[in-house]
Amino acid sequence: MENIYDIIIIGEGIAGMTAAIYAKRAGASVLILEKNAVGGQASLSYEIGNYPGFDNISGFELVSHISKQVKELKVDTRYEQVQKIQDGKIKSVFTKNNEYRCKAIILCLGASPRKLGIEKEKQLIGKGISYCAVCDGAFYRNKNVAIIGRGNTAAEDACYLSNIANNVYIINRKSDLKAQSILVSRIQEQVAKEKIKMINNSEVVDVIGENKVEAVKIQDLVKNVTYDLKVDGIFVATGRVADTDWLDDLVEVDENGYIIVDKYKRTNREGIYSAGDCTNTVLRQLITSAADGAIAGTNAYEYVKNIIL
């Protein structure tokens, strides 16, 4: 049957590229569809210290290594945003201008930064509110910035920005950070040098400024008082949400919007698999995304190899 791929992979992050490598090496015809750029969120990490085989590597470098493997395998890759999927024995994937058909799909949709959900957030994105320290940190050289969050991303962003900004504030709803111990140690070192200042048991309730960020209004959750903190930029690092809202009940998701998969990375729809941060995995790391992609790519190929049309 002409013009039908064995597998279409939606998303060109770590999971999607690994799935492509495994499926293509097994003998499948593969198409990757990516709405933005290669690498997804992984490409924005300025320092990765826990990926096996590398003492220290940037996200961009790691993504480049994997992307090179994909290109050498001559995997068909197109930069188009998928708008709809039609299920069936032969599945149709629709972008704005094209329809692609395949026997199996692997959803590697990743996750996007969680928004603060406060007034003026949308208005001030790019005008002082950012979700990526590596992308926008250079704009705040010798300025004051606030990081909102308490996990690994917040800690990594704070360490990165402490080498750029004048003052870095971490605003944390709890009394401590929920980050890896090595990151917490780095934060403590920077706190001792007064490069980073912790504002614990507090949350941002408003952003002050019309055309740019001028300050944040902070509520002290212990003293139950509010006050303003002058900053030039805000970096939001409060977690991520799965990019699954457009699927329209195509596959089963959990209460948080993550795609439910089994150990073979199968969804509840025959011939549709999913891998990486968009799934109900117990750990969302680059290494687990790669492992998920390998499992999904292998099992999707086994499915198309045995499918009877």
Side-chain angles (χ1 to χ4, degrees):
M1 301 179 73
E2 294 183 6
N3 301 320
I4 297 177
Y5 290 92
D6 287 328
I7 301 168
I8 290 179
I9 298 168
I10 303 175
E12 198 184 11
I14 300 292
M17 288 192 291
T18 308
I21 290 168
Y22 274 74
K24 185 72 173 181
R25 284 174 60 89
S29 59
V30 179
L31 169 66
I32 298 176
L33 294 172
E34 166 58 50
K35 66 179 179 179
N36 290 319
V38 60
Q41 294 294 323
S43 62
L44 304 177
S45 297
Y46 79 98
E47 182 180 80
I48 299 167
N50 60 356
Y51 198 94
F54 299 97
D55 293 333
N56 201 295
I57 190 170
S58 72
F60 178 80
E61 289 176 295
L62 179 61
V63 164
S64 296
H65 283 301
I66 302 173
S67 179
K68 182 172 180 287
Q69 289 178 273
V70 173
K71 289 176 182 175
E72 288 175 347
L73 288 168
K74 294 182 171 55
V75 174
D76 192 358
T77 304
R78 305 188 187 188
Y79 294 94
E80 303 177 39
Q81 182 167 359
V82 176
Q83 298 181 334
K84 189 176 79 169
I85 295 171
Q86 184 176 302
D87 193 20
K89 278 280 189 177
I90 296 297
K91 305 172 194 308
S92 291
V93 178
F94 297 90
T95 65
K96 183 178 180 180
N97 298 314
N98 294 298
E99 175 188 353
Y100 301 99
R101 298 189 296 162
C102 62
K103 301 172 187 175
I105 292 172
I106 305 177
L107 301 169
C108 301
L109 308 178
S112 298
R114 188 185 302 277
K115 302 296 189 294
L116 282 176
I118 60 176
E119 195 176 351
K120 293 186 180 178
E121 183 172 13
K122 188 175 181 179
Q123 172 188 335
L124 293 172
I125 292 175
K127 300 175 181 177
I129 293 181
S130 173
Y131 305 90
C132 177
V134 176
C135 309
D136 300 326
F139 296 115
Y140 298 93
R141 188 166 299 280
N142 299 322
K143 295 185 178 181
N144 300 325
V145 298
I147 296 165
I148 303 172
R150 62 188 293 257
N152 289 334
T153 300
E156 289 169 353
D157 287 355
C159 291
Y160 176 74
L161 291 166
S162 68
N163 296 313
I164 297 171
N166 184 37
N167 287 302
V168 176
Y169 302 93
I170 299 179
I171 302 172
N172 172 17
R173 294 190 81 256
K174 303 294 184 178
S175 59
D176 58 358
L177 293 174
K178 189 181 179 182
Q180 293 175 349
S181 59
I182 189 169
L183 292 173
V184 173
S185 295
R186 290 178 185 174
I187 293 294
Q188 290 170 343
E189 289 173 6
Q190 295 301 312
V191 168
K193 296 176 184 177
E194 298 186 347
K195 290 291 293 180
I196 294 175
K197 298 174 176 64
M198 298 296 305
I199 302 178
N200 293 328
N201 300 305
S202 301
E203 66 179 356
V204 172
V205 293
D206 199 5
V207 179
I208 299 168
E210 293 301 323
N211 298 313
K212 65 176 184 178
V213 169
E214 297 173 3
V216 289
K217 187 174 289 294
I218 298 173
Q219 181 173 12
D220 187 312
L221 300 174
V222 175
K223 298 178 181 178
N224 197 27
V225 297
T226 60
Y227 60 94
D228 296 345
L229 175 68
K230 288 187 177 182
V231 293
D232 303 289
I234 302 166
F235 290 87
V236 182
T238 54
R240 301 190 181 279
V241 292
D243 291 330
T244 59
D245 55 343
W246 60 275
L247 289 175
D248 295 329
D249 299 322
L250 174 71
V251 294
E252 186 179 2
V253 300
D254 66 16
E255 64 275 13
N256 296 311
Y258 291 102
I259 297 170
I260 297 173
V261 294
D262 64 13
K263 66 180 182 179
Y264 301 101
K265 305 306 168 187
R266 296 179 299 201
T267 70
N268 64 315
R269 294 271 188 166
E270 184 178 344
I272 300 182
Y273 298 75
S274 187
D277 285 358
C278 65
T279 67
N280 61 330
T281 180
V282 296
L283 183 65
R284 293 183 175 87
Q285 293 285 298
L286 299 183
I287 189 64
T288 55
S289 288
D292 283 359
I295 295 168
T298 299
N299 287 295
Y301 173 69
E302 289 299 318
Y303 170 80
V304 301
K305 188 174 68 173
N306 296 306
I307 189 173
I308 299 174
L309 299 178

